Every structure is written in C-alpha cells, then in structure tokens.
Amino acid sequence: METPTPKSTNLVLILDFGSQYTHLITRRIRKLSIFSLCISGTSSLKTITDLNPKVIILSGGPHSVHSEDAPTFPQGFIEYVESNGIFVLGICYGLQLIVQKLGGVVDIGDKQEYGRMDIEVLKESGLYKSGGIGSKQSVWMSHGDEAVKLPEGFSVVAKSQQGSVAAIENPKRKFYGLQYHPEVTHSPEGMVTLSNFLLNVCGIVPEWKMEDVLEEEIKVIRKVVADDDHVICALSGGVDSTVAATLVHRAIGDRLHCVFVDNGLLRFKEQERVMQLFEKDLHLPVTCVDAVEKFLGELKGVVDPEKKRKIIGKEFITVFDEFATKLEKEIGKKPAFLVQGTLYPDVIESCPPPGSGRSHSHTIKSHHNVGGLPKDMKLKLIEPLKLLFKDEVRELGKILNVPEGFLKRHPFPGPGLAVRVLGDVTEGNALEILRQVDEIFIESIKEAGLYDSIWQAFAVFLPIRSVGVQGDQRTHSHVVALRAVTSQDGMTADWYNFEHKFLDDVSRKICNSVRGVNRVVQDITSKPPSTIEWE
C-alpha cells in the first residue's frame, strides 16, 4: 500500500537535488510544527501540483548549473509557482538554479567558499527579521560557483566576508535564496532564518502535530483494508514495528495477526524477552516462528552486505507467505497485507526519495524492508511510518500508549546481527560471541545510567584475529568493536564519548568473560562520513 501524504494546507515541499544535508531541511521544518516532505528534484510537474504545496524549497547539490547533466525543476515550474502564489526558497545550488533560470548569471567563483564563514546583512528583509542592517552571523558555506548577476527585480540581502552573494530576494515574485546551508548546526542562526521565512514571509501557521498523523493514518488504513481483510504484521520487538503494529491494531482490531520471526540473527535472549513484553505489556496476539535453520542456511558463505540484506528480505517474505497460507485455513481468507515499520530514513538510504524522476543522491544501503524485498511478493505493504523520523515515531508511540520500555529501546537493524558480523555469519561461533559481547556492553551502559543518553549502542564482530596473552598463554583470537552514537533522527550522528574508566571496565569484562575474544576496539567515527551500522 502506498501511504498517501498527510493532508496539509501548509505543506513545505523540498525538491532534492542531491545535497547530503537535504533531509535535514525536512527535519528542521517539522521541528517548527510545519509538515514538510522531500521528493526528487526532477519529479514531474504533476507530482508537485498533486501535493499542492504552499512553499517549495530547492535544495543544495553537488552539481554545477553549467554541467550538461545538471538537475533542474520540470518545464512549467516557474509559471506554476507564480500563478499559484507559491513561495520558493533556493538553498546553495537551489539559489544558483533560480538565478540562472530567471535570467541572471552564475559563474565559477574567484574564491570558492567551504566551511564556516561570516555574512553581513545589507538590507531589511523578512529573512533576517531578528537582525538589522549591518548584523553579522556565522554560516556554513559549500559552493564553488556563485551568482555574479541577479535576475531583474532581485536584490542582494546579504554578502559573505569575501564579498560573494549570500542571500537574495524578490518579494514581488516570492522568490528567495540562501547561498549557505541554514539547516546544519554549523549555521547557528539558521533555524531562526528558516522560521522567519516560513512564519513571517510565507505566513504559514505552525499547526502540524502528531495527533493529526495518527488520525490520518488510521483513515488511510481503514480505507485501503476492506472490512473482511486480514493483515499480517512483522514484529521485531523494536520501536518501529511495535508502534506500527499498535497503530494498525487500533485501526482494524483483531484482524491484525502479528508474527515474530526468530531468524537466528537476534541479540542475547531476544526471543524470550520480546515475546514476554508483547504478551505482558502490549497484549497483542503474537505467533513466534522458528526459522533459524532456514535463514542461516541461505546465508552460509555470503559475505557481501547487500547480498545479505536481500537474502534476509526475501526469506522474511517467504516466512510471511507461509504463515498467511496457514492462517487462511483458520480464518477462511488469505491475508492480503503485510505491515512493516519502515521509517523515512530507511526509504531515504535505500532508494530515491518519494516522487517520480531519477534521484541525484546515492543509495547508501538497501534497508531490508525497502531494497531487499522481492519484486514478485504476493502481500501488499502497509507502511504507516514511512514518512516519519525515529523521534517522531516515539512521539506517536506515546500517544498510542505504547509502554516506555519499548519506546526507549535502541534501534536494531532489520537484518539483525547479519550486518554486525562482518563476513560469513555462519562461520565458527561468530554469532554467539557477538551476542555475549553485545550483552555485556549494553548491560554496562544501563548500569552506568547512560542508556537513555545514547541513540544506539552495539558491538561488531570483525573478520580478523589478533595475538594476545591470556592466562600466560599466547592466543590468536577474535577482535570486536564497540559503537555508540548520539543522534536526533539517525540521519546524522556523533560518537559517544565514554569516560576512559568505563571503556576499561567493559574491555576487561569482555576479554575475561567471552571465550575467543582478546581485543576490544572503539569506533569513534561520526555519520557522515560513516553510517551508524558497519554494513
């Protein structure tokens, strides 16, 4: 099932031209209680008009407007926004696109600008209502080209310390532009500028709230799922699938049938713990399917992470199809839908943003809910959370009265430990070693009172051995890595800075308790350049 966009008379639509920061724009705008949605920058005009936006933001991107394959908005875009009174804000590449398409000139800058830089406001503008003429602020620049001649009717609002155009506007035509990135934290006053633009210039009322999302999604589910249809839900025990299941259960009641699959890639005692939580706290009827041999058999000898994800996605669907066949004998009708807790970041990293047209962003990795699904699957998908970020899902879970213990759980990847064992997951006792190491790490974090301060923490089994000395004997054992990050939505993340004593204690516990491990390392890489998971 394709989840329709929540209705909003104040939709801010972002056209993605490939910037690594594009989806931060979406997130920042939602923080202002304004609904925003990101689609491909080369989506058709019909896709854009069907969404009926009040504001359109053109994102940054790695291209030059002079490149032969430079992305651009569709034919008729300018006429559409002007005839419908739609405000347009161009950011970085988006500003240059506005300048070029409306008759100005963009050229290679004499001095390229990257990183932090001061800008100065030159004239009164709704963009900088909090600061007057002559005020300065630090912003994050990332561009080689620059606007050297503005289209007729446009004026320069701010310039950089090097003298290049930093902000432009044409209030009469409702076009605005920022040469820098207001969406990143490196532009400290960027949120103020976005707020000024959306609330003061565009007159948007900040009225979008999670209760509206709940109401809209329940309506959508009831509209798509017929009164006599039954639905299967893939429950993992994580936040996403739990909230998705609770939402769908509220919409259709006992016609929802939850399935928890033990695929052999779960954490320490995960099956027992999760099943107990479902029965005790959520009171959801859940069937546990033991598919350990099936999954591990298919994964034997596989080392490529993308292949792992696709195999796991395919096997999950096979399990659900088999469950549906058994269920048909009980209820007299085969379920037609499968519920998954796919989130917006999963969709973003796995495939082009929603909307038609090719994407100018790279696929980071295939989420097994998205890129790993077989094209010929029989069950239709219901993904009620696919337009939400993780923190929004937690907020929705609170409204649905999902127990706090579920909502605070750290994210766990759909492919499970398969993407935390680098290499063949069936080789030796890698999975069992990883489970023990991960359990020690997580329990130590909880004992130290740090669990709620960390977005995600886990261990990784590395495909290498190192020489060590244990019990006065030489060992040639495995190496494990510890990873812990802080984040708001999973799109960007910083590594968590543990105290040295904590790391020392954890390392000793692991090496003393887990047979086969003699070395522990810590991953201190942010996202970007790395992803949170290793595979």
Side-chain angles (χ1 to χ4, degrees):
M1 182 187 79
E2 187 67 26
T3 304
T5 303
K7 298 293 184 293
S8 174
T9 56
N10 286 321
L11 172 65
V12 177
L13 184 64
I14 297 145
L15 299 188
D16 178 13
F17 292 111
S19 169
Q20 62 179 316
Y21 306 126
T22 297
H23 300 287
L24 287 178
I25 307 172
T26 310
R27 193 65 199 93
R28 300 294 181 255
I29 294 172
R30 292 189 188 184
K31 281 289 187 184
L32 297 171
S33 297
I34 299 170
F35 183 66
S36 61
L37 182 67
C38 179
I39 66 174
S40 170
T42 52
S43 295
S44 68
L45 186 61
K46 184 179 186 305
T47 299
I48 296 171
T49 58
D50 284 350
L51 290 168
N52 191 29
K54 183 169 184 176
V55 178
I56 295 177
I57 295 180
L58 312 177
S59 85
H63 297 265
S64 165
V65 292
H66 300 296
S67 299
E68 188 175 330
D69 61 345
T72 185
F73 36 69
Q75 186 174 359
F77 176 83
I78 299 295
E79 293 79 6
Y80 164 69
V81 296
E82 293 198 301
S83 63
N84 287 276
I86 297 171
F87 291 87
V88 178
L89 172 66
I91 294 177
C92 197
Y93 177 84
L95 175 148
Q96 296 168 10
L97 201 55
I98 290 173
V99 170
Q100 185 198 54
K101 294 299 181 182
L102 294 183
V105 178
V106 176
D107 207 347
I108 299 174
D110 293 331
K111 295 180 179 179
Q112 297 180 339
E113 297 179 324
Y114 297 100
R116 286 188 179 87
M117 184 161 293
D118 287 341
I119 64 168
E120 180 180 353
V121 176
L122 303 180
K123 62 168 287 189
E124 293 289 345
S125 169
L127 292 171
Y128 302 109
K129 195 171 182 179
S130 58
I133 296 174
S135 63
K136 295 183 180 181
Q137 60 177 271
S138 177
V139 301
W140 188 259
M141 292 283 193
S142 182
H143 67 101
D145 291 351
E146 65 174 282
V148 295
K149 180 183 177 183
L150 299 187
E152 185 178 348
F154 280 75
S155 59
V156 179
V157 175
K159 281 197 171 185
S160 72
Q161 64 190 45
Q162 294 189 149
S164 63
V165 172
I168 62 173
E169 68 176 10
N170 185 331
K172 186 176 180 180
R173 298 183 70 177
K174 298 185 177 180
F175 279 90
Y176 295 78
L178 301 173
Q179 186 57 74
Y180 58 91
H181 290 275
E183 69 272 23
V184 302
T185 55
H186 301 305
S187 297
E189 296 181 57
M191 274 294 284
V192 176
T193 302
L194 286 175
S195 177
N196 286 339
F197 174 69
L198 295 172
L199 302 184
N200 301 329
V201 175
C202 304
I204 287 185
V205 179
E207 58 186 8
W208 185 69
K209 53 186 183 296
M210 205 51 61
E211 286 82 359
D212 296 333
V213 176
L214 174 59
E215 182 181 336
E216 181 68 26
E217 288 298 338
I218 288 177
K219 287 180 181 177
V220 168
I221 293 165
R222 287 175 176 169
K223 181 179 179 181
V224 173
V225 179
D227 291 341
D228 60 343
D229 276 339
H230 287 252
V231 177
I232 294 174
C233 180
L235 271 181
S236 68
V239 175
D240 311 334
S241 65
T242 300
V243 173
T246 307
L247 192 159
V248 176
H249 188 258
R250 179 171 292 192
I252 65 172
D254 293 338
R255 289 181 291 128
L256 174 70
H257 306 270
C258 298
V259 184
F260 178 80
V261 180
D262 185 348
N263 58 3
L265 303 169
L266 304 177
R267 289 171 287 195
F268 188 77
K269 293 185 177 180
E270 183 83 348
Q271 184 195 121
E272 302 97 300
R273 292 171 177 175
V274 167
M275 290 299 293
Q276 184 179 6
L277 285 170
F278 284 144
E279 295 170 3
K280 179 182 175 182
D281 296 328
L282 285 177
H283 309 292
L284 286 174
V286 183
T287 300
C288 181
V289 176
D290 186 342
V292 174
E293 290 186 11
K294 185 178 183 62
F295 275 81
L296 296 187
E298 291 294 325
L299 289 168
K300 187 174 179 60
V302 179
V303 297
D304 179 74
E306 278 294 283
K307 192 172 181 181
K308 287 182 189 178
R309 290 174 181 274
K310 293 185 182 299
I311 288 172
I312 292 167
K314 179 177 179 295
E315 289 307 313
F316 266 121
I317 296 303
T318 300
V319 170
F320 298 137
D321 280 338
E322 292 173 353
F323 179 79
T325 300
K326 292 179 181 178
L327 192 61
E328 182 181 12
K329 296 177 181 178
E330 298 176 16
I331 62 178
K333 183 176 182 180
K334 194 168 185 177
F337 296 94
L338 172 66
V339 178
Q340 291 194 141
T342 308
L343 301 191
Y344 202 24
D346 301 332
V347 176
I348 291 166
E349 290 191 340
S350 298
C351 57
S356 61
R358 62 194 177 92
S359 170
H360 292 270
S361 302
H362 288 261
T363 295
I364 307 301
K365 57 189 177 185
S366 295
H367 188 274
H368 87 285
N369 282 2
V370 184
L373 298 180
K375 294 180 180 179
D376 59 347
M377 64 179 286
K378 301 171 185 176
L379 296 167
K380 299 175 184 177
L381 285 180
I382 295 177
E383 297 174 300
L385 313 178
K386 69 184 293 184
L387 296 180
L388 302 180
F389 292 92
K390 177 73 77 172
D391 55 331
E392 293 172 329
V393 172
R394 288 190 168 118
E395 185 181 344
L396 184 61
K398 289 180 182 178
I399 298 171
L400 287 164
N401 295 317
V402 174
E404 190 175 33
F406 271 95
L407 299 180
K408 287 189 174 182
R409 293 195 86 192
H410 288 182
F412 186 62
L417 299 184
V419 292
R420 293 180 179 175
V421 172
L422 306 193
D424 185 352
V425 300
T426 66
E427 191 172 299
N429 58 344
L431 284 169
E432 187 54 36
I433 287 175
L434 181 58
R435 287 190 185 98
Q436 294 179 45
V437 172
D438 189 75
E439 178 73 1
I440 291 171
F441 186 34
I442 298 302
E443 287 304 306
S444 297
I445 287 173
K446 289 179 178 177
E447 290 169 7
L450 302 174
Y451 190 80
D452 292 343
S453 301
I454 296 172
W455 168 268
Q456 191 172 359
F458 56 91
V460 182
F461 183 91
L462 304 183
I464 55 176
R465 292 175 180 263
S466 72
V467 173
V469 179
Q470 291 172 296
D472 294 328
Q473 295 183 347
R474 178 189 183 276
T475 59
H476 190 231
S477 299
H478 299 287
V479 181
V480 293
L482 305 181
R483 175 88 157 139
V485 299
T486 58
S487 180
Q488 290 295 318
D489 48 38
M491 295 304 299
T492 60
D494 290 318
W495 60 279
Y496 187 83
N497 191 3
F498 290 107
E499 291 185 1
H500 289 175
K501 186 178 186 309
F502 173 87
L503 292 173
D504 181 47
D505 289 343
V506 170
S507 175
R508 291 175 187 275
K509 285 180 185 177
I510 291 171
C511 290
N512 290 336
S513 305
V514 183
R515 186 176 296 276
V517 174
N518 69 359
R519 193 175 301 272
V520 179
V521 298
Q522 183 190 10
D523 180 351
I524 58 169
T525 320
S526 62
K527 175 187 178 180
S530 297
T531 53
I532 295 177
E533 297 286 347
W534 279 44
E535 289 191 341

